[in-house]
Amino acid sequence: MVMKASLQLKMGQSLTMTPQLQQAIRLLQLSTLDLQQEIQQALDSNPMLETPEEDELEGRDSDRESNSQQEEPDHLSAAENDHADTSWDEPEAPADWSQENDTQDTIPDDLPVDTAWDDIYQSAPASAARNDDDNDSDFESRNHAAETLRDHLEWQLNLTPLNDRDSAIAHALMDAVDDRGYLTSSLDEIHSGLMDEADEDPVEMDEVEAVLHRLQYFDPPGVFARDLQECLLIQLNQLPPDTPWLAQARLVITHYIGLLGNRDYAQLLRRSRLKEDQLRDVLTVITSLNPHPGDSLDRAEPDYVIPDVIVRKHNGRWRVELNPEIAPRIRVNASYASLIRRADSSADNTYLRDQLQEAKWFIKSLQSRNETLLKVATRIVEHQQGFLDQGEEAMKPLILSDIAQAVEMHESTISRVTTQKYMHTPRGIFELKYFFSSHVSTDEGGECSSTAIRAMIKKLVAAETPKKPLSDSKIATMLGEQGIQVARRTVAKYREAMHIPPSNERKRLV
């Protein structure tokens, strides 16, 4: 069979993502901190972009207060002119550079929830910038590395007078301490590691135990313990001798810690020969101890969250606005833009043209990002007003497709907008994805959000009798009486997600 070459002409359509669209999508999915880094990189790499000076910002803020009806920048869309006084300034380019504004999605005027566009692109107040110098004195405390348990123990060891032999034993013991403050190796293993066949005077086990006993007085109390029982006894021994019920607490920990762990209070009362009110006082002393002494040192670096959207109630209506601190002000540099000459194809002029075009697209992408974020947040607040007014029990079921249909966008876009974006509300700061949840059908034919069910479970557990906590089956039955049909395993799943222990571990002696 002979293959024959031929030419054919076909027509077809394909979707191609332009670099500008790719940039807009990338900015849309960035978190607030990542966006600030992206803007700073753009300012460093593109000479056409700049931020206004501080005195200029102060002047504009005062002008805005004195004249709320001032003329809007030419590059804003119609919807933006109606709702915003923005600071993403773009000066007029030369006449040959005037271009038709790109069409942008507009926000519907008739929304059940008020939407504020005032100052949505505004940076932090100038007063905050002026206070930066005042905070320099706190630079060391804000930027030093967090102290670890090992650092804390080393500091105390350096202040403890020990000879070289005991110091070597102390370091060997310290190497075996985990983050909780417990020894992870037995004394036999530590002693074997210190043995040297060539040593004429080998380390004895008594020496290891003596050094361990000395280290067990280090801070935090209970450190260098080999098990929970020893950890609690170390802490009890460091309490003042006149502490009420101290002897009885030692008795319970020494002989009946197993019964205490199983919460078998009936056997504990019988064997310890304590009365119920006495055992309650003893348990108060025991529960004041720390079973994980190493956790008392906060080693985790603080994780700060900057909300992207602020929600507050104004005149009986929930008002949604973008956080003015999520991004610095940015605009096109008028001086560089004026250097572009008409019909000049030189390398310098071409470079300026390209940078100006990139600057315009970057500003438009930022505007598009904030407009989309505000539209999505507005619809979420509109749907979840019950949560804002009443709390988690009033949370309604919500999925991505519901918001996607409301704002006429694809679900993937809504997913990008709601990832790592946070909303500040009177009830706290929540990620936008927090407001989305599955649903369970009710007896009346309605739907109940899984978030609301978790809140109900938490409320039932908080109101239960400590002596007889509610089992998962009982909680499922009580929810069914309220018209919410959930299985026992579903209750268990929600309970574990909220880190609520099972009923046998919640049992308390009252």
Side-chain angles (χ1 to χ4, degrees), residues 271-322:
R271 296 191 180 185
S272 64
R273 298 182 180 181
L274 294 172
K275 296 181 180 179
E276 186 172 324
D277 56 343
Q278 294 175 335
L279 181 57
R280 185 188 307 117
D281 294 334
V282 171
L283 294 182
T284 301
V285 176
I286 295 176
T287 53
S288 67
L289 309 177
N290 188 356
H292 299 147
D295 294 343
S296 60
L297 291 179
D298 186 12
R299 298 177 300 274
E301 293 290 343
D303 186 14
Y304 298 101
V305 173
I306 301 177
D308 301 80
V309 181
I310 298 176
V311 178
R312 58 172 62 94
K313 204 164 191 178
H314 180 68
N315 293 333
R317 294 173 62 87
W318 287 105
R319 185 177 178 87
V320 184
E321 58 188 4
L322 293 182

Side-chain angles (χ1 to χ4, degrees), residues 94 96-97 339-346 349-350 353:
D96 58 315
W97 271 95
L339 297 177
I340 299 177
R341 294 179 296 276
R342 184 177 181 180
D344 190 337
S345 59
S346 63
N349 202 59
T350 301
R353 287 171 181 265

Side-chain angles (χ1 to χ4, degrees), residues 29-163:
Q29 62 189 8
L30 292 179
S31 64
T32 299
L33 296 179
D34 293 336
L35 177 65
Q36 292 176 348
Q37 295 179 1
E38 186 74 18
I39 292 175
Q40 188 59 48
Q41 291 178 3
L43 289 170
D44 295 339
S45 60
N46 193 331
M48 285 292 177
L49 292 174
E50 68 172 2
T51 55
E53 298 295 335
E54 181 178 335
D55 54 352
E56 187 176 353
L57 294 178
E58 293 178 354
R60 292 192 177 186
D61 291 340
S62 60
D63 292 342
R64 183 182 296 107
E65 295 175 359
S66 61
N67 184 12
S68 60
Q69 303 296 330
Q70 64 181 359
E71 183 180 356
E72 302 295 334
D74 296 336
H75 68 283
L76 294 178
S77 63
E80 291 168 328
N81 285 327
D82 292 338
H83 298 282
D85 177 15
T86 161
S87 302
W88 298 89
D89 302 324
E90 180 179 342
E92 294 186 0
D96 58 315
W97 271 95
S98 60
Q99 300 179 358
E100 182 179 358
N101 291 335
D102 295 343
T103 59
Q104 300 182 5
D105 294 336
T106 59
I107 299 179
D109 294 330
D110 187 14
L111 287 179
V113 180
D114 292 342
T115 304
W117 271 88
D118 298 334
D119 306 330
I120 61 174
Y121 300 119
Q122 158 182 315
S123 64
S127 59
R130 289 193 298 268
N131 290 336
D132 286 345
D133 295 338
D134 300 337
N135 296 332
D136 288 344
S137 59
D138 194 37
F139 176 81
E140 183 177 354
S141 62
R142 288 185 286 109
N143 292 274
H144 74 282
E147 184 184 32
T148 64
L149 176 62
R150 177 61 183 255
D151 296 334
H152 191 58
L153 296 178
E154 285 278 6
W155 171 73
Q156 297 175 80
L157 183 60
N158 292 334
L159 298 177
T160 304
L162 296 174
N163 56 40

Side-chain angles (χ1 to χ4, degrees), residues 451-496:
T451 302
I453 296 176
R454 284 195 291 267
M456 294 178 186
I457 294 174
K458 186 176 181 180
K459 184 177 180 180
L460 290 174
V461 171
E464 69 185 3
T465 303
K467 266 189 174 182
K468 191 177 181 181
L470 300 174
S471 64
D472 294 339
S473 298
K474 182 61 176 177
I475 293 176
T477 302
M478 297 176 69
L479 291 176
E481 294 173 355
Q482 302 180 33
I484 303 173
Q485 301 299 329
V486 293
R488 181 200 61 79
R489 60 181 179 273
T490 303
V491 173
K493 181 181 69 173
Y494 289 163
R495 175 181 55 74
E496 292 173 357

Side-chain angles (χ1 to χ4, degrees), residues 2-19:
V2 179
M3 301 295 294
K4 195 172 183 181
S6 62
L7 294 176
Q8 293 181 349
L9 182 62
K10 293 184 178 180
M11 296 183 62
Q13 291 182 340
S14 62
L15 180 62
T16 303
M17 294 182 64
T18 63

